[in-house]
Amino acid sequence: MSDKTMTLIDNRTGEKYEYPILEGTRGPAAVDMRSFYKDSGMFSYDPGFTSTASCKSEITFINGEKGELRYRGLPIEELATGHSYLEVCHLLLEGELPTEEQLQNLDLELRHRAFLPEGLVRLSQTIPDDAHPMSVMSAGVTALSAFYYEHLKLETPEDYREMAHRIIAKMPTLAAFAYRHSIGATYIYPDIDRSFTENFLYMLRAYPGGKMHRDPDGHREIKPIEVEALDTIFTLHADHEQNASTTVVRSVASTGAHPYVAISSGISALWGRAHGGANESVIEQLRMIGSVENVDKYIARAKDPNDPFRLMGFGHRVYKNFDPRARILKKLQDQLRDELNLDTELMRIAQRIEEIALSDEYFIQRKLYPNIDFYSGIILTALGLPRSMFTPIFVIGRTVGWIAQWIEFKKDKESKIARPRQLYVGK
Ligand code: ACO
Protein backbone atom coordinates (compact mmCIF):
# COMPACT_ATOMS: atom_id res chain seq x y z
CA MET A 1 0.00 0.00 0.00
CA SER A 2 1.34 3.45 -0.95
CA ASP A 3 2.25 5.69 1.98
CA LYS A 4 0.58 8.59 0.17
CA THR A 5 -2.89 7.37 0.98
CA MET A 6 -5.23 7.53 3.92
CA THR A 7 -7.41 4.63 5.01
CA LEU A 8 -10.77 5.21 6.63
CA ILE A 9 -12.35 2.37 8.56
CA ASP A 10 -16.10 2.15 9.14
CA ASN A 11 -16.09 0.74 12.68
CA ARG A 12 -19.66 -0.49 12.27
CA THR A 13 -18.74 -2.95 9.51
CA GLY A 14 -14.94 -3.04 9.42
CA GLU A 15 -15.10 -1.84 5.79
CA LYS A 16 -11.94 0.02 4.69
CA TYR A 17 -11.71 2.88 2.22
CA GLU A 18 -8.43 4.15 0.86
CA TYR A 19 -7.88 7.63 -0.54
CA PRO A 20 -4.89 9.35 -2.18
CA ILE A 21 -3.18 12.15 -0.30
CA LEU A 22 -2.53 15.15 -2.54
CA GLU A 23 0.43 17.33 -1.68
CA GLY A 24 0.53 21.02 -2.52
CA THR A 25 3.63 23.19 -2.82
CA ARG A 26 2.98 24.83 0.57
CA GLY A 27 0.59 24.18 3.43
CA PRO A 28 -1.40 21.15 4.50
CA ALA A 29 -1.91 18.19 2.17
CA ALA A 30 -5.46 17.19 1.18
CA VAL A 31 -7.15 13.80 1.08
CA ASP A 32 -8.80 13.24 -2.29
CA MET A 33 -12.31 12.27 -1.19
CA ARG A 34 -14.04 12.66 -4.54
CA SER A 35 -15.13 9.04 -4.74
CA PHE A 36 -16.12 8.77 -1.06
CA TYR A 37 -19.87 8.78 -1.65
CA LYS A 38 -19.58 6.32 -4.55
CA ASP A 39 -17.39 4.03 -2.45
CA SER A 40 -19.21 4.20 0.88
CA GLY A 41 -22.69 5.62 0.26
CA MET A 42 -21.92 8.29 2.89
CA PHE A 43 -21.24 12.00 2.78
CA SER A 44 -18.59 13.92 4.69
CA TYR A 45 -20.18 16.48 7.07
CA ASP A 46 -18.37 19.83 7.20
CA PRO A 47 -20.57 22.91 7.71
CA GLY A 48 -18.74 26.08 6.70
CA PHE A 49 -16.12 23.93 4.87
CA THR A 50 -13.68 24.24 7.77
CA SER A 51 -11.74 21.14 6.65
CA THR A 52 -12.56 21.09 2.96
CA ALA A 53 -10.32 22.17 0.06
CA SER A 54 -12.83 23.05 -2.65
CA CYS A 55 -10.23 23.48 -5.41
CA LYS A 56 -6.55 23.49 -6.31
CA SER A 57 -5.25 27.04 -6.68
CA GLU A 58 -2.00 28.76 -7.63
CA ILE A 59 -3.07 32.27 -6.70
CA THR A 60 -2.90 32.94 -2.95
CA PHE A 61 -1.37 31.09 -0.04
CA ILE A 62 -2.22 31.64 3.62
CA ASN A 63 -0.59 30.05 6.64
CA GLY A 64 -3.07 31.01 9.35
CA GLU A 65 -1.00 29.62 12.22
CA LYS A 66 2.09 31.66 11.25
CA GLY A 67 0.14 34.68 10.01
CA GLU A 68 1.57 34.43 6.48
CA LEU A 69 0.00 35.63 3.22
CA ARG A 70 1.45 35.37 -0.29
CA TYR A 71 0.14 36.28 -3.74
CA ARG A 72 1.64 34.08 -6.47
CA GLY A 73 4.37 33.08 -4.01
CA LEU A 74 5.40 36.62 -3.05
CA PRO A 75 4.97 37.74 0.58
CA ILE A 76 2.34 40.39 1.20
CA GLU A 77 4.83 42.54 3.15
CA GLU A 78 7.01 42.87 0.03
CA LEU A 79 4.03 43.59 -2.24
CA ALA A 80 2.38 46.11 0.07
CA THR A 81 5.51 48.14 0.64
CA GLY A 82 7.47 47.73 -2.61
CA HIS A 83 4.84 47.53 -5.36
CA SER A 84 1.78 49.40 -6.55
CA TYR A 85 -1.73 47.99 -6.62
CA LEU A 86 -1.63 47.85 -10.44
CA GLU A 87 1.54 45.74 -10.29
CA VAL A 88 -0.31 43.45 -7.89
CA CYS A 89 -3.27 43.28 -10.30
CA HIS A 90 -0.92 42.15 -13.07
CA LEU A 91 0.68 39.64 -10.71
CA LEU A 92 -2.64 38.10 -9.72
CA LEU A 93 -4.00 37.97 -13.26
CA GLU A 94 -0.86 36.95 -15.15
CA GLY A 95 1.16 35.12 -12.49
CA GLU A 96 4.18 37.49 -12.68
CA LEU A 97 4.96 41.07 -11.73
CA PRO A 98 4.78 43.29 -14.83
CA THR A 99 7.68 44.74 -16.79
CA GLU A 100 7.75 48.53 -16.99
CA GLU A 101 6.07 48.36 -20.40
CA GLN A 102 3.35 45.95 -19.25
CA LEU A 103 2.63 48.19 -16.27
CA GLN A 104 2.31 51.27 -18.47
CA ASN A 105 -0.04 49.43 -20.81
CA LEU A 106 -2.20 48.24 -17.93
CA ASP A 107 -2.28 51.71 -16.41
CA LEU A 108 -3.29 53.29 -19.70
CA GLU A 109 -5.91 50.67 -20.40
CA LEU A 110 -7.53 51.01 -16.98
CA ARG A 111 -7.67 54.79 -17.30
CA HIS A 112 -9.45 54.52 -20.63
CA ARG A 113 -11.86 51.81 -19.54
CA ALA A 114 -12.95 53.65 -16.38
CA PHE A 115 -16.09 55.17 -17.92
CA LEU A 116 -19.49 53.56 -17.32
CA PRO A 117 -22.02 53.02 -20.10
CA GLU A 118 -24.43 55.98 -19.97
CA GLY A 119 -27.39 53.59 -19.66
CA LEU A 120 -25.86 52.25 -16.45
CA VAL A 121 -25.36 55.79 -15.15
CA ARG A 122 -29.05 56.49 -15.75
CA LEU A 123 -30.02 53.17 -14.19
CA SER A 124 -28.04 53.93 -11.03
CA GLN A 125 -29.91 57.24 -10.73
CA THR A 126 -33.22 55.36 -10.40
CA ILE A 127 -32.10 53.66 -7.17
CA PRO A 128 -33.43 55.32 -3.97
CA ASP A 129 -31.07 58.07 -2.74
CA ASP A 130 -30.64 56.53 0.69
CA ALA A 131 -29.54 53.14 -0.67
CA HIS A 132 -26.26 51.81 0.69
CA PRO A 133 -23.49 52.13 -1.94
CA MET A 134 -23.01 48.33 -1.73
CA SER A 135 -26.49 47.70 -3.11
CA VAL A 136 -25.79 50.09 -5.99
CA MET A 137 -22.52 48.28 -6.67
CA SER A 138 -24.07 44.85 -6.63
CA ALA A 139 -26.91 45.97 -8.90
CA GLY A 140 -24.52 47.97 -11.10
CA VAL A 141 -22.20 45.06 -11.73
CA THR A 142 -25.14 42.77 -12.54
CA ALA A 143 -26.31 45.45 -14.97
CA LEU A 144 -22.85 45.53 -16.58
CA SER A 145 -23.48 41.96 -17.74
CA ALA A 146 -26.35 43.35 -19.81
CA PHE A 147 -24.15 46.03 -21.36
CA TYR A 148 -21.36 43.55 -22.16
CA TYR A 149 -23.47 40.48 -22.81
CA GLU A 150 -21.69 39.57 -26.05
CA HIS A 151 -18.53 39.03 -24.02
CA LEU A 152 -20.03 35.89 -22.54
CA LYS A 153 -17.99 34.09 -25.20
CA LEU A 154 -14.54 34.06 -23.73
CA GLU A 155 -12.25 32.15 -26.05
CA THR A 156 -8.80 33.69 -26.27
CA PRO A 157 -6.51 34.92 -23.45
CA GLU A 158 -7.12 38.40 -24.87
CA ASP A 159 -10.90 37.99 -24.31
CA TYR A 160 -10.27 37.10 -20.67
CA ARG A 161 -7.87 40.01 -20.25
CA GLU A 162 -10.31 42.49 -21.73
CA MET A 163 -13.12 41.25 -19.49
CA ALA A 164 -10.85 41.49 -16.43
CA HIS A 165 -9.53 44.96 -17.23
CA ARG A 166 -12.97 46.31 -18.01
CA ILE A 167 -14.47 45.36 -14.69
CA ILE A 168 -11.41 46.35 -12.61
CA ALA A 169 -11.37 49.76 -14.32
CA LYS A 170 -15.06 50.45 -13.84
CA MET A 171 -15.33 49.41 -10.20
CA PRO A 172 -13.93 52.66 -8.68
CA THR A 173 -16.22 54.71 -10.93
CA LEU A 174 -19.24 52.68 -9.92
CA ALA A 175 -18.29 52.97 -6.24
CA ALA A 176 -17.77 56.74 -6.49
CA PHE A 177 -21.07 57.21 -8.35
CA ALA A 178 -22.85 55.06 -5.76
CA TYR A 179 -21.50 57.29 -3.01
CA ARG A 180 -22.32 60.54 -4.77
CA HIS A 181 -25.80 59.22 -5.48
CA SER A 182 -26.25 58.46 -1.76
CA ILE A 183 -25.43 62.06 -0.82
CA GLY A 184 -27.36 63.61 -3.72
CA ALA A 185 -24.22 64.99 -5.40
CA THR A 186 -23.56 65.28 -9.15
CA TYR A 187 -21.43 62.45 -10.54
CA ILE A 188 -17.84 63.29 -11.36
CA TYR A 189 -16.63 61.41 -14.44
CA PRO A 190 -13.20 59.76 -14.50
CA ASP A 191 -10.23 61.96 -15.32
CA ILE A 192 -7.89 59.95 -17.53
CA ASP A 193 -4.95 62.12 -16.51
CA ARG A 194 -5.13 60.60 -13.05
CA SER A 195 -3.88 57.20 -11.91
CA PHE A 196 -6.28 54.43 -10.85
CA THR A 197 -6.20 55.18 -7.12
CA GLU A 198 -5.97 58.97 -7.34
CA ASN A 199 -8.85 59.00 -9.81
CA PHE A 200 -11.07 57.23 -7.29
CA LEU A 201 -10.39 59.86 -4.63
CA TYR A 202 -10.96 62.57 -7.24
CA MET A 203 -14.36 61.14 -8.27
CA LEU A 204 -15.39 61.02 -4.60
CA ARG A 205 -14.18 64.47 -3.64
CA ALA A 206 -14.35 66.86 -6.59
CA TYR A 207 -16.95 69.59 -6.79
CA PRO A 208 -19.29 69.72 -9.81
CA GLY A 209 -17.19 70.52 -12.85
CA GLY A 210 -14.26 68.60 -11.40
CA LYS A 211 -12.80 71.43 -9.26
CA MET A 212 -10.67 70.36 -6.30
CA HIS A 213 -11.09 73.11 -3.73
CA ARG A 214 -9.70 72.70 -0.26
CA ASP A 215 -12.55 72.34 2.26
CA PRO A 216 -12.36 73.47 5.92
CA ASP A 217 -10.91 70.15 7.12
CA GLY A 218 -8.50 69.98 4.23
CA HIS A 219 -9.87 66.73 2.83
CA ARG A 220 -10.56 67.82 -0.75
CA GLU A 221 -7.01 68.19 -1.89
CA ILE A 222 -5.53 64.81 -2.76
CA LYS A 223 -2.24 64.32 -0.99
CA PRO A 224 0.29 61.79 -2.36
CA ILE A 225 0.35 60.06 1.03
CA GLU A 226 -3.41 59.48 0.81
CA VAL A 227 -3.04 57.90 -2.63
CA GLU A 228 -0.23 55.69 -1.36
CA ALA A 229 -2.21 54.61 1.71
CA LEU A 230 -5.31 53.78 -0.32
CA ASP A 231 -3.20 51.94 -2.89
CA THR A 232 -1.77 49.81 -0.06
CA ILE A 233 -5.29 49.12 1.21
CA PHE A 234 -6.30 47.94 -2.28
CA THR A 235 -3.25 45.64 -2.39
CA LEU A 236 -3.99 44.16 1.03
CA HIS A 237 -7.55 43.36 -0.05
CA ALA A 238 -6.68 42.08 -3.52
CA ASP A 239 -7.15 38.36 -2.85
CA HIS A 240 -7.57 36.04 0.08
CA GLU A 241 -7.84 32.46 -1.08
CA GLN A 242 -11.21 30.66 -0.76
CA ASN A 243 -13.03 33.06 1.59
CA ALA A 244 -16.85 33.35 1.62
CA SER A 245 -17.21 35.82 -1.28
CA THR A 246 -14.61 34.07 -3.45
CA THR A 247 -16.34 30.77 -2.83
CA VAL A 248 -19.57 32.42 -3.98
CA VAL A 249 -17.84 33.76 -7.11
CA ARG A 250 -16.51 30.28 -7.93
CA SER A 251 -19.91 28.69 -7.22
CA VAL A 252 -21.66 31.08 -9.59
CA ALA A 253 -18.86 30.55 -12.13
CA SER A 254 -19.55 26.82 -11.86
CA THR A 255 -23.07 27.31 -13.20
CA GLY A 256 -21.77 28.94 -16.38
CA ALA A 257 -23.25 32.36 -15.56
CA HIS A 258 -21.75 35.59 -16.93
CA PRO A 259 -18.53 36.61 -15.11
CA TYR A 260 -19.97 39.98 -14.06
CA VAL A 261 -22.90 38.24 -12.39
CA ALA A 262 -20.45 36.06 -10.50
CA ILE A 263 -18.58 39.20 -9.33
CA SER A 264 -21.87 40.82 -8.35
CA SER A 265 -22.67 37.78 -6.19
CA GLY A 266 -19.24 38.16 -4.58
CA ILE A 267 -20.09 41.78 -3.78
CA SER A 268 -23.31 40.71 -2.08
CA ALA A 269 -21.50 38.07 -0.03
CA LEU A 270 -18.80 40.54 0.97
CA TRP A 271 -21.35 43.01 2.32
CA GLY A 272 -22.12 40.90 5.42
CA ARG A 273 -20.82 42.01 8.82
CA ALA A 274 -18.99 38.72 9.35
CA HIS A 275 -17.01 39.36 6.14
CA GLY A 276 -16.17 42.64 4.35
CA GLY A 277 -18.91 44.57 6.13
CA ALA A 278 -16.90 44.25 9.34
CA ASN A 279 -14.79 47.34 8.54
CA GLU A 280 -17.90 49.52 8.68
CA SER A 281 -19.04 47.81 11.87
CA VAL A 282 -15.65 48.37 13.54
CA ILE A 283 -16.02 52.15 13.30
CA GLU A 284 -19.70 51.96 14.34
CA GLN A 285 -18.62 49.93 17.35
CA LEU A 286 -15.71 52.23 18.29
CA ARG A 287 -18.08 55.19 18.14
CA MET A 288 -20.63 53.30 20.24
CA ILE A 289 -17.98 52.51 22.85
CA GLY A 290 -17.34 56.27 22.84
CA SER A 291 -14.40 56.56 25.22
CA VAL A 292 -11.46 54.58 26.57
CA GLU A 293 -13.20 54.27 29.98
CA ASN A 294 -16.00 52.21 28.43
CA VAL A 295 -13.71 49.64 26.82
CA ASP A 296 -13.70 47.20 29.75
CA LYS A 297 -17.50 47.04 29.77
CA TYR A 298 -17.61 46.07 26.10
CA ILE A 299 -14.77 43.56 26.43
CA ALA A 300 -16.82 41.91 29.20
CA ARG A 301 -19.83 41.81 26.86
CA ALA A 302 -17.72 40.23 24.09
CA LYS A 303 -16.66 37.49 26.52
CA ASP A 304 -20.15 36.81 27.87
CA PRO A 305 -21.47 33.60 26.23
CA ASN A 306 -25.05 34.82 26.78
CA ASP A 307 -24.46 38.11 24.96
CA PRO A 308 -24.37 38.02 21.15
CA PHE A 309 -22.06 41.08 21.15
CA ARG A 310 -18.76 40.44 19.33
CA LEU A 311 -15.72 42.63 19.02
CA MET A 312 -15.79 43.62 15.38
CA GLY A 313 -12.42 43.37 13.65
CA PHE A 314 -11.33 40.49 15.89
CA GLY A 315 -11.03 36.84 14.98
CA HIS A 316 -10.66 35.12 11.65
CA ARG A 317 -11.59 31.73 10.29
CA VAL A 318 -8.07 31.11 9.01
CA TYR A 319 -5.69 33.36 10.96
CA LYS A 320 -5.01 32.01 14.41
CA ASN A 321 -2.28 34.62 14.75
CA PHE A 322 -2.00 38.33 13.92
CA ASP A 323 -3.50 38.88 10.46
CA PRO A 324 -0.38 39.94 8.45
CA ARG A 325 -2.49 42.55 6.65
CA ALA A 326 -3.48 44.02 10.01
CA ARG A 327 0.20 44.27 10.98
CA ILE A 328 0.94 46.28 7.82
CA LEU A 329 -2.07 48.52 8.39
CA LYS A 330 -1.15 49.12 12.02
CA LYS A 331 2.24 50.44 10.83
CA LEU A 332 0.55 52.52 8.15
CA GLN A 333 -1.83 53.95 10.74
CA ASP A 334 1.10 55.02 12.91
CA GLN A 335 2.80 56.65 9.90
CA LEU A 336 -0.35 58.51 8.97
CA ARG A 337 -1.04 59.70 12.50
CA ASP A 338 1.23 62.74 12.29
CA GLU A 339 0.53 63.61 8.70
CA LEU A 340 -3.26 63.45 8.62
CA ASN A 341 -6.07 64.64 10.76
CA LEU A 342 -6.73 61.36 12.59
CA ASP A 343 -9.66 60.87 14.92
CA THR A 344 -7.45 60.34 17.94
CA GLU A 345 -10.18 59.28 20.37
CA LEU A 346 -11.14 56.43 18.03
CA MET A 347 -7.48 55.46 17.81
CA ARG A 348 -7.10 55.51 21.59
CA ILE A 349 -10.18 53.29 22.03
CA ALA A 350 -8.87 50.92 19.34
CA GLN A 351 -5.46 50.77 20.96
CA ARG A 352 -6.96 50.00 24.38
CA ILE A 353 -9.13 47.23 22.91
CA GLU A 354 -6.11 45.76 21.18
CA GLU A 355 -3.99 45.85 24.38
CA ILE A 356 -6.68 44.16 26.48
CA ALA A 357 -7.63 41.60 23.86
CA LEU A 358 -4.03 40.56 23.24
CA SER A 359 -3.46 39.87 26.94
CA ASP A 360 -6.87 38.51 27.93
CA GLU A 361 -7.23 34.75 28.43
CA TYR A 362 -10.57 34.63 26.53
CA PHE A 363 -8.99 36.01 23.36
CA ILE A 364 -5.68 34.19 23.77
CA GLN A 365 -7.36 30.80 24.23
CA ARG A 366 -9.53 31.29 21.16
CA LYS A 367 -6.66 32.80 19.15
CA LEU A 368 -8.63 35.94 18.42
CA TYR A 369 -6.32 38.60 16.98
CA PRO A 370 -7.10 41.87 15.22
CA ASN A 371 -7.94 41.30 11.55
CA ILE A 372 -7.55 43.65 8.57
CA ASP A 373 -10.90 45.30 9.24
CA PHE A 374 -9.87 46.44 12.69
CA TYR A 375 -7.39 48.95 11.21
CA SER A 376 -8.73 49.58 7.72
CA GLY A 377 -11.76 51.48 9.03
CA ILE A 378 -9.57 53.72 11.18
CA ILE A 379 -7.25 54.49 8.25
CA LEU A 380 -10.10 55.12 5.84
CA THR A 381 -11.66 57.48 8.39
CA ALA A 382 -8.31 59.26 8.59
CA LEU A 383 -8.36 59.63 4.80
CA GLY A 384 -11.70 61.40 5.15
CA LEU A 385 -13.57 58.54 3.51
CA PRO A 386 -17.16 58.04 4.62
CA ARG A 387 -18.05 54.89 6.53
CA SER A 388 -20.53 53.71 3.90
CA MET A 389 -17.59 53.52 1.44
CA PHE A 390 -15.44 51.16 3.49
CA THR A 391 -16.90 47.96 2.07
CA PRO A 392 -17.08 49.37 -1.51
CA ILE A 393 -13.34 50.12 -1.15
CA PHE A 394 -12.82 46.50 -0.16
CA VAL A 395 -14.76 45.56 -3.33
CA ILE A 396 -12.50 47.71 -5.52
CA GLY A 397 -9.40 45.98 -4.14
CA ARG A 398 -10.88 42.47 -4.20
CA THR A 399 -12.30 42.58 -7.74
CA VAL A 400 -8.99 41.49 -9.27
CA GLY A 401 -8.82 38.52 -6.91
CA TRP A 402 -12.36 37.42 -7.74
CA ILE A 403 -11.56 37.67 -11.47
CA ALA A 404 -8.29 35.76 -11.12
CA GLN A 405 -10.17 33.04 -9.20
CA TRP A 406 -12.97 33.05 -11.78
CA ILE A 407 -10.45 32.58 -14.61
CA GLU A 408 -8.62 29.87 -12.70
CA PHE A 409 -11.90 28.05 -12.14
CA LYS A 410 -12.78 28.25 -15.83
CA LYS A 411 -9.40 26.84 -16.84
CA ASP A 412 -9.39 24.05 -14.26
CA LYS A 413 -10.20 20.74 -15.96
CA GLU A 414 -11.24 19.25 -12.61
CA SER A 415 -13.79 21.97 -11.83
CA LYS A 416 -17.42 20.97 -11.44
CA ILE A 417 -20.71 22.65 -10.64
CA ALA A 418 -20.78 23.41 -6.90
CA ARG A 419 -23.32 21.03 -5.44
CA PRO A 420 -22.76 20.04 -1.80
CA ARG A 421 -25.01 17.43 -0.19
CA GLN A 422 -26.69 17.37 3.23
CA LEU A 423 -27.42 15.22 6.24
CA TYR A 424 -31.21 15.08 6.17
CA VAL A 425 -32.67 15.26 9.69
CA GLY A 426 -36.24 16.31 8.86
CA LYS A 427 -39.54 14.40 8.78
N1 ACO B 1 -15.48 38.68 19.67
C1 ACO B 1 -15.72 37.84 20.71
N2 ACO B 1 -15.68 36.50 20.62
C2 ACO B 1 -15.40 35.97 19.41
C3 ACO B 1 -15.15 36.78 18.29
C4 ACO B 1 -15.18 38.18 18.45
N3 ACO B 1 -14.95 38.99 17.43
N4 ACO B 1 -14.89 35.98 17.22
C5 ACO B 1 -15.00 34.72 17.65
N5 ACO B 1 -15.30 34.71 18.98
C6 ACO B 1 -15.44 33.52 19.83
C7 ACO B 1 -16.76 32.81 19.58
O1 ACO B 1 -17.78 33.30 20.41
C8 ACO B 1 -16.37 31.39 19.87
O2 ACO B 1 -16.31 31.26 21.28
P1 ACO B 1 -16.73 29.84 21.96
O3 ACO B 1 -15.72 28.84 21.47
O4 ACO B 1 -16.67 30.10 23.42
O5 ACO B 1 -18.13 29.55 21.46
C9 ACO B 1 -14.93 31.27 19.35
O6 ACO B 1 -14.40 32.62 19.45
C10 ACO B 1 -14.83 30.78 17.90
O7 ACO B 1 -15.67 31.61 17.09
P2 ACO B 1 -16.34 31.13 15.71
O8 ACO B 1 -17.48 32.03 15.38
O9 ACO B 1 -16.62 29.65 15.80
O10 ACO B 1 -15.14 31.36 14.71
P3 ACO B 1 -15.26 31.37 13.15
O11 ACO B 1 -13.92 31.00 12.64
O12 ACO B 1 -16.42 30.60 12.67
O13 ACO B 1 -15.58 32.92 12.83
C11 ACO B 1 -15.36 35.22 12.35
C12 ACO B 1 -14.68 33.83 12.34
C13 ACO B 1 -16.72 35.14 11.63
C14 ACO B 1 -14.49 36.20 11.57
C15 ACO B 1 -15.56 35.68 13.82
O14 ACO B 1 -14.31 35.72 14.49
C16 ACO B 1 -16.26 37.04 13.92
O15 ACO B 1 -17.48 37.09 13.90
N6 ACO B 1 -15.45 38.16 14.05
C17 ACO B 1 -16.02 39.48 14.08
C18 ACO B 1 -16.39 39.94 12.68
C19 ACO B 1 -15.16 40.29 11.87
O16 ACO B 1 -14.26 40.97 12.30
N7 ACO B 1 -15.16 39.81 10.60
C20 ACO B 1 -14.10 40.11 9.64
C21 ACO B 1 -13.35 38.88 9.26
S1 ACO B 1 -11.99 39.28 8.21
C22 ACO B 1 -12.70 39.49 6.71
O17 ACO B 1 -13.70 38.98 6.36
C23 ACO B 1 -11.97 40.35 5.77
Side-chain angles (χ1 to χ4, degrees), residues 11 26 34-35 43 109 198 207 225 228-229 233 244 247 258 266 279 281 283 291 301 343 378:
N11 292 323
R26 291 177 197 267
R34 281 176 288 186
S35 64
F43 299 132
E109 197 173 333
E198 186 193 331
Y207 286 106
I225 190 169
E228 268 172 46
I233 287 187
T247 298
H258 193 285
N279 53 15
S281 308
I283 294 295
S291 76
R301 282 191 62 189
D343 185 339
I378 297 172

Side-chain angles (χ1 to χ4, degrees), residues 134 266-279 281 312 373 391:
M134 282 297 280
I267 294 174
S268 303
L270 191 79
W271 194 0
R273 277 162 64 91
H275 194 10
N279 53 15
S281 308
M312 299 315 288
D373 294 314
T391 318

Side-chain angles (χ1 to χ4, degrees), residues 54 129 199 229 311-312 392 397:
S54 60
D129 293 353
N199 203 6
L311 266 192
M312 299 315 288

Side-chain angles (χ1 to χ4, degrees), residues 273-276 278 302-303 309-318 320 323 325 362-363 366 368 371-373 394:
R273 277 162 64 91
H275 194 10
K303 289 158 57 173
F309 179 84
R310 280 190 171 199
L311 266 192
M312 299 315 288
F314 268 78
H316 196 276
R317 171 59 62 77
V318 179
K320 301 302 168 197
D323 177 340
R325 304 166 300 172
Y362 174 92
F363 293 89
R366 290 167 182 74
L368 299 171
N371 59 48
I372 187 169
D373 294 314
F394 194 151

Side-chain angles (χ1 to χ4, degrees), residues 109-292:
E109 197 173 333
L110 295 188
R111 288 176 196 231
H112 283 89
R113 288 190 184 281
F115 294 84
L116 298 180
E118 275 305 309
L120 178 54
V121 175
R122 287 199 296 280
L123 194 65
S124 72
Q125 283 160 340
T126 63
I127 291 175
D129 293 353
D130 55 356
H132 193 288
M134 282 297 280
S135 57
V136 183
M137 292 195 73
S138 175
V141 174
T142 296
L144 270 185
S145 67
F147 290 95
Y148 296 101
Y149 184 67
E150 78 280 14
H151 291 273
L152 194 54
K153 280 198 194 73
L154 291 160
E155 279 150 15
T156 65
E158 216 26 69
D159 294 340
Y160 279 90
R161 217 164 267 138
E162 189 179 311
M163 176 275 290
H165 294 169
R166 177 180 295 121
I167 194 158
I168 292 167
K170 292 188 187 328
M171 211 55 104
T173 314
L174 187 58
F177 282 16
Y179 172 64
R180 293 190 79 100
H181 184 65
S182 74
I183 57 165
T186 326
Y187 295 170
I188 297 294
Y189 281 63
D191 173 358
I192 57 167
D193 288 335
R194 295 175 192 268
S195 69
F196 182 87
T197 302
E198 186 193 331
N199 203 6
F200 174 58
L201 284 173
Y202 164 75
M203 289 186 284
L204 281 182
R205 291 182 184 176
Y207 286 106
K211 290 217 167 60
M212 294 295 296
H213 300 297
R214 180 181 264 279
D215 74 357
D217 33 62
H219 280 319
R220 293 283 168 192
E221 188 186 301
I222 299 170
K223 300 177 186 129
I225 190 169
E226 294 180 299
V227 178
E228 268 172 46
L230 191 56
D231 208 72
T232 303
I233 287 187
F234 287 153
T235 290
L236 295 177
H237 287 94
D239 194 49
H240 212 232
E241 210 226 56
Q242 307 311 315
N243 56 82
S245 54
T246 302
T247 298
V248 166
V249 169
R250 280 184 176 257
S251 295
V252 178
S254 80
T255 69
H258 193 285
Y260 297 167
V261 176
I263 302 304
S264 167
S265 312
I267 294 174
S268 303
L270 191 79
W271 194 0
R273 277 162 64 91
H275 194 10
N279 53 15
E280 205 179 323
S281 308
V282 168
I283 294 295
E284 259 167 46
Q285 200 170 81
L286 293 177
R287 293 221 163 105
M288 182 183 76
I289 294 172
S291 76
V292 174

